[in-house]
Amino acid sequence: MMIFQCEDSVDGIFTGVYDAWDSRIGHEAVALRIREKMDLELFAKYREVETDTQKAAKVARSVRSKMGQDAYRVIYQAALSANPEKADSIYRVIVRGMSANVTQYEAQNVIWNLQSRDVCRVFELSRKVGNEAHRYFQFVRFRELDSGVLFSEIQAENQVLPLIGEHFSDRFPNENFMIYDNGHNDCLIHGKQRPWFILRDTCPDEAAKDQLAAREEEMQELWKGFCKSISVEARENRGLQRQFWPLKFRRWMTEG
Amino acid sequence: MEIAKDMDLYQKLEILSDAAKYDVACTSSGIDRKGSGKGMGNCTAAGICHSFSADGRCIALLKILFTNECVFDCKYCVNRSSNDVERAAFTPEEVCRLTIEFYRRNYIEGLFLSSGILKSPSYTMELLYQTLYKLRYEYHFEGYIHVKAIPGAPQELIEKTGFLADRMSVNLELPTAESLRRLAPHKTRKKILAPMRQVQLSRKEHKNELMLFKNAPQFVPAGQSTQMIIGATPENDYQILSVAESLYQKFELKRVFYSAFVQVNQDAELPALPGGPPLLREHRLYQADWLLRFYGFGAGELLSEKRPNFNVFLDPKCDWALSHLEQFPVEINRADYYTLLRVPGIGPKSAQRIVKARRMGSLDFTDLKRAGVVLKRAVYFITCNGRQMYPLKVEEDFILRNLMYSQSRTPAETVTYRQLSLFDDDRMFGEVPQQLLQAGV
């Protein structure tokens, strides 16, 4: 068994897929693992995968054109998951879709073949990541710093920043904002009328992120008051509230 | 009643959100709109809930009344003119500022603006229009706006407001005209339905225009909704559901909301509810509402004159399936989409996944679990390749017993048989609860 160790990123995994396929060892005799998130195995040889954006782009392009945009989206989202088994499952799914003897129609439907263990895992991981990203559409809270920048801190399980960047920059084209994911130490940055981007392994200045704008506290008070007065006492149901709004999100939220 | 002049924004927000909280609709769904890149905001069709209040309801919109001053005296309403509550009113400027500041912090998805009737319906509608105009054209807000159409306001005003809002709603208040006369003496069914019809017709008209001109303005693009109070008047579930069904069909509403009656006023005309608001009833109505909109059920299938109320113990879909056992079991690998939808435990999403997945090969029970089917309910009604998951009887009593007593378990983990005995009689196990008998079990 030859094990390809790749970086924990979409590009890393796609490069791994490229290298594993390109090695011509045979699909059964190779496996993909995420570096630093794996147990060493006996009787296996290891090969390091050097992340290469060009190879990754090639894989992404062929997946898109043969397996379709839907499948690409599912695979891409799964690659952002925190689950270390994602790499190998993604490899198996791509192999199934891209094999020479698979017709276009079959390739487009591979992602719906939930009977297969690997497809199912990719599908589930993708759904989890997508759901978490949606949670952050809901629960990201910005505070205005005295520099006028809107700042938000989150602690995500999966790498959700690439999935929420589009939404927030479309929503706030005229704002300078920053979302800091302290779980992965990544920053999503958007400048007024500029495209958004992600800085990996960067954390914002500790002192700057607590210097609030003049009216910020007033707004926070107004919002907290609103959340309290909008509730109907006769219907109080904390369990239901917790079900929709888990405690782990509240730590980073204004009203939490 | 005088409106206090020197109130600060915090107090106003507290009073006017408190007064708006009995309005149920807080959805921000129904329209997908990208930002123009110039202003602020966009909309997603699925809607986004930003927070959840202590009663478990979502907070998606800044839900406020423009003013809680009201000339009407509806008996169920906190803001009725004869109530002695603190009154306040926003200015359009204040509403805009609050909306924008909350929105850019990602607290909310947009604005829900309703109002008590200040002076007259047309005066109030004019104020709402001014606020929306300011928000759209001076503050360049492109997020979601839900506004109330005030019955009795002039048509032109409602029309003009409709071009600025995403969703409009007129509250039906109570399910029948008779109840309305009793509890809301200033309102009539005719007056309420008039603006509803107007919004419906205008939407149609402007949809046709959009087909011709790409940039024609959109009129209430996310559709209209309404709400009814449940439990304040003696209507049964069948009547309520039939009203909802005809609203969906004849008025093309996007949503009908049901609000369990909360006792805020003491009035001889209102029922006393010692057990609190009828929340279970409301819940059953919502379940049935979903069956109407997404599952292709009709009100007449779920309830009838003879059985006018929902089963307390079972959800409407299980209840329907139990009384139509001749249509089960359904073969997962062959049944069409609409038949699958009728199986308890299978929803639109899992039904779609089943239909797509079986193109690639036959499905097994483990695959169904992966597709998101709720097996603890579905097992009684399905077969995979002609086999049931466990040997189960397709028999009403048996299924009912299991559905009710093993809420969270599949039958493999519970006892699926009963030892026969000489004294095989239900009375051996104690009294049958009164509610069970009423539910017709």
Side-chain angles (χ1 to χ4, degrees):
Chain A
M1 181 70 92
M2 176 69 81
I3 290 176
F4 287 80
Q5 299 173 286
C6 40
E7 188 195 50
D8 190 5
S9 69
V10 178
D11 280 349
I13 292 172
F14 282 1
T15 313
V17 171
Y18 188 97
D19 283 355
W21 197 316
D22 195 42
S23 66
R24 292 159 198 266
I25 296 170
H27 299 315
E28 270 67 53
V30 298
L32 251 63
R33 298 277 186 273
I34 301 290
R35 203 178 296 152
E36 288 140 20
K37 278 196 180 172
M38 52 173 212
D39 300 323
L40 289 174
E41 286 170 38
L42 218 52
F43 309 120
K45 284 186 205 155
Y46 285 87
R47 198 180 283 178
E48 288 285 323
V49 173
E50 202 61 48
T51 302
D52 179 337
T53 45
Q54 280 182 346
K55 286 180 184 172
K58 274 185 194 165
V59 173
R61 198 178 57 226
S62 356
V63 168
R64 266 203 193 118
S65 64
K66 187 148 188 210
M67 299 174 68
Q69 187 63 33
D70 284 355
Y72 175 71
R73 182 153 187 92
V74 172
I75 291 171
Y76 177 83
Q77 271 183 201
L80 298 172
S81 164
N83 187 326
E85 289 170 32
K86 63 188 175 177
D88 201 54
S89 290
I90 287 173
Y91 180 62
R92 306 285 153 209
V93 172
I94 293 180
V95 165
R96 271 198 61 181
M98 307 294 286
S99 299
N101 58 351
V102 170
T103 64
Q104 183 86 12
Y105 174 80
E106 282 167 336
Q108 303 254 339
N109 277 303
V110 160
I111 207 66
W112 297 108
N113 187 0
L114 298 180
Q115 295 95 322
S116 141
R117 199 180 57 99
D118 291 308
V119 173
C120 190
R121 176 174 296 144
V122 168
F123 189 79
E124 257 164 27
L125 292 180
S126 171
R127 193 168 49 168
K128 276 208 183 111
V129 174
N131 287 348
E132 200 192 8
H134 186 85
R135 292 295 184 115
Y136 286 106
F137 291 165
Q138 302 178 277
F139 300 142
V140 160
R141 290 288 179 271
F142 288 110
R143 52 179 190 260
E144 191 176 353
L145 305 183
D146 62 353
S147 52
V149 171
L150 293 174
F151 177 80
S152 169
E153 186 163 353
I154 61 173
Q155 191 169 50
E157 195 182 321
N158 308 302
Q159 303 166 28
V160 293
L161 289 184
L163 298 176
I164 63 177
E166 189 56 43
H167 172 82
F168 283 109
S169 54
D170 182 57
R171 176 160 288 202
F172 305 119
N174 294 318
E175 300 283 356
N176 298 311
F177 67 78
M178 177 194 250
I179 302 174
Y180 172 53
D181 178 356
N182 61 21
H184 300 90
N185 216 14
D186 292 343
C187 277
L188 169 72
I189 295 171
H190 174 269
K192 187 175 173 176
Q193 295 292 349
R194 306 289 293 268
W196 59 277
F197 58 94
I198 290 171
L199 281 181
R200 301 204 74 177
D201 293 319
T202 343
C203 85
D205 184 19
E206 280 295 329
K209 73 185 192 189
D210 291 324
Q211 285 178 358
L212 301 181
R215 276 161 44 239
E216 179 58 27
E217 271 182 42
E218 183 199 341
M219 281 303 150
Q220 294 192 357
E221 284 314 307
L222 281 169
W223 172 242
K224 285 182 204 160
F226 175 77
C227 287
K228 230 177 263 151
S229 61
I230 204 71
S231 166
V232 180
E233 302 80 26
R235 303 178 57 118
E236 180 159 323
N237 190 345
R238 292 279 177 181
L240 188 62
Q241 183 192 28
R242 213 161 30 239
Q243 183 186 330
F244 289 124
W245 186 29
L247 296 172
K248 67 172 180 180
F249 294 102
R250 299 192 199 176
R251 191 176 153 200
W252 309 102
M253 292 170 66
T254 318
E255 73 272 28
Chain B
M1 255 156 292
E2 261 306 293
I3 293 175
K5 291 279 184 307
D6 52 349
M7 224 179 249
D8 70 13
L9 196 56
Y10 186 88
Q11 284 167 307
K12 279 190 186 178
L13 182 64
E14 198 171 16
I15 294 171
L16 293 169
S17 59
D18 189 73
K21 68 186 175 190
Y22 299 101
D23 239 303
V24 223
C26 198
T27 50
S28 55
S29 54
I31 173 172
D32 240 331
R33 185 173 60 217
K34 288 243 162 238
S36 68
K38 290 175 196 135
M40 177 191 292
N42 58 12
C43 298
T44 39
I48 297 173
C49 303
H50 283 269
S51 193
F52 293 87
S53 54
D55 51 15
R57 299 190 304 165
C58 91
I59 305 176
L61 305 173
L62 172 63
K63 184 158 54 177
I64 45 174
L65 296 190
F66 190 84
T67 171
N68 63 344
E69 176 83 3
C70 193
V71 293
F72 288 172
D73 197 28
C74 308
K75 300 197 165 111
Y76 48 80
C77 179
V78 214
N79 305 314
R80 60 186 287 190
S81 57
S82 57
N83 260 10
D84 183 24
V85 292
E86 219 177 341
R87 309 277 169 169
F90 280 124
T91 63
E93 184 67 38
E94 285 169 334
V95 175
C96 294
R97 241 191 70 207
L98 270 179
T99 311
I100 292 288
E101 290 298 332
F102 279 10
Y103 193 82
R104 64 192 281 261
R105 288 170 175 79
N106 205 37
Y107 294 165
I108 53 169
E109 200 53 22
L111 174 67
F112 176 109
L113 192 58
S114 177
S115 182
I117 312 296
L118 188 62
K119 291 185 190 165
S120 74
S122 41
Y123 182 79
T124 316
M125 198 71 217
E126 177 73 42
L127 279 173
L128 297 186
Y129 170 72
Q130 279 174 11
T131 312
L132 260 54
Y133 187 90
K134 219 180 178 72
L135 195 54
R136 286 288 196 219
Y137 290 106
E138 282 176 31
Y139 288 83
H140 304 288
F141 178 69
E142 294 168 20
Y144 197 87
I145 298 181
H146 179 155
V147 70
K148 291 272 163 199
I150 310 260
Q155 287 202 358
E156 312 85 71
L157 258 180
I158 291 181
E159 178 90 11
K160 267 164 50 183
T161 315
F163 282 114
L164 301 173
D166 290 296
R167 173 166 286 184
M168 261 186 144
S169 59
V170 190
N171 282 358
L172 197 61
E173 311 293 6
L174 295 159
T176 57
E178 162 60 26
S179 311
L180 199 64
R181 211 169 13 251
R182 216 156 50 91
L183 294 188
H186 296 92
K187 294 180 179 166
T188 64
R189 185 62 162 240
K190 217 173 123 193
K191 260 196 181 156
I192 289 175
L193 291 182
M196 214 185 254
R197 180 67 79 195
Q198 190 202 336
V199 173
Q200 180 200 10
L201 294 178
S202 300
R203 279 195 74 209
K204 257 194 194 153
E205 189 183 318
H206 291 286
K207 248 189 212 146
N208 292 340
E209 235 163 70
L210 272 177
M211 278 184 242
L212 294 175
F213 311 106
K214 197 177 113 207
N215 293 323
Q218 286 190 302
F219 183 82
V220 193
Q224 60 170 334
S225 63
T226 190
Q227 76 168 17
M228 290 187 260
I229 298 167
I230 305 305
T233 45
E235 289 87 8
N236 58 37
D237 292 344
Y238 180 54
Q239 278 171 305
I240 295 170
L241 202 63
S242 307
V243 170
E245 190 181 35
S246 64
L247 285 172
Y248 285 130
Q249 285 168 359
K250 297 195 184 121
F251 286 85
E252 297 170 81
L253 291 198
K254 272 278 154 68
R255 286 291 299 273
V256 175
F257 292 97
Y258 310 91
S259 117
F261 172 62
V262 179
Q263 192 135 31
V264 285
N265 301 327
Q266 298 298 330
D267 195 293
E269 294 280 354
L270 295 173
L273 295 169
L279 294 177
L280 179 63
R281 194 170 171 210
E282 182 196 274
H283 180 58
R284 291 277 179 259
L285 278 166
Y286 274 118
Q287 289 179 318
D289 189 77
W290 250 257
L291 294 180
L292 294 187
R293 290 186 297 136
F294 299 118
Y295 293 75
F297 280 91
E301 282 180 282
L302 299 170
L303 295 169
S304 62
E305 292 286 0
K306 264 191 245 156
R307 236 169 45 87
N309 288 316
F310 286 114
N311 192 330
V312 192
F313 298 99
L314 282 181
D315 64 86
K317 199 178 179 191
C318 280
D319 201 29
W320 174 85
L322 274 184
S323 49
H324 292 83
L325 280 180
E326 72 283 356
Q327 303 187 16
F328 297 101
V330 162
E331 169 56 45
I332 289 293
N333 286 302
R334 258 191 296 280
D336 65 83
Y337 175 73
Y338 296 97
T339 315
L340 288 177
L341 263 189
R342 298 216 154 197
V343 178
I346 298 183
K349 271 211 175 139
S350 46
Q352 276 165 20
R353 284 185 198 137
I354 289 172
V355 172
K356 279 181 175 155
R358 69 189 181 186
R359 286 181 199 151
M360 319 287 294
S362 78
L363 290 166
D364 198 2
F365 283 98
T366 42
D367 303 328
L368 288 186
K369 200 161 195 178
R370 289 176 185 164
V373 173
V374 186
L375 280 179
K376 73 181 179 204
R377 282 200 290 280
V379 271
Y380 308 99
F381 306 102
I382 55 174
T383 58
C384 283
N385 297 320
R387 275 202 206 98
Q388 284 190 303
M389 193 169 182
Y390 314 103
L392 297 164
K393 285 181 276 185
V394 182
E395 185 190 281
E396 194 173 341
D397 281 351
F398 170 77
I399 298 175
L400 179 70
R401 199 167 351 113
N402 280 289
L403 279 176
M404 278 178 47
Y405 294 110
S406 59
Q407 293 276 320
S408 56
R409 285 174 293 182
T410 51
E413 302 155 30
T414 57
V415 182
T416 60
Y417 55 85
R418 219 161 36 148
Q419 177 73 55
L420 279 176
S421 89
L422 283 175
F423 314 101
D424 201 9
D425 185 354
D426 277 336
R427 271 164 296 184
M428 294 294 289
F429 305 104
E431 285 270 278
V432 181
Q434 198 59 36
Q435 281 166 303
L436 259 179
L437 291 174
Q438 280 172 353
V441 175

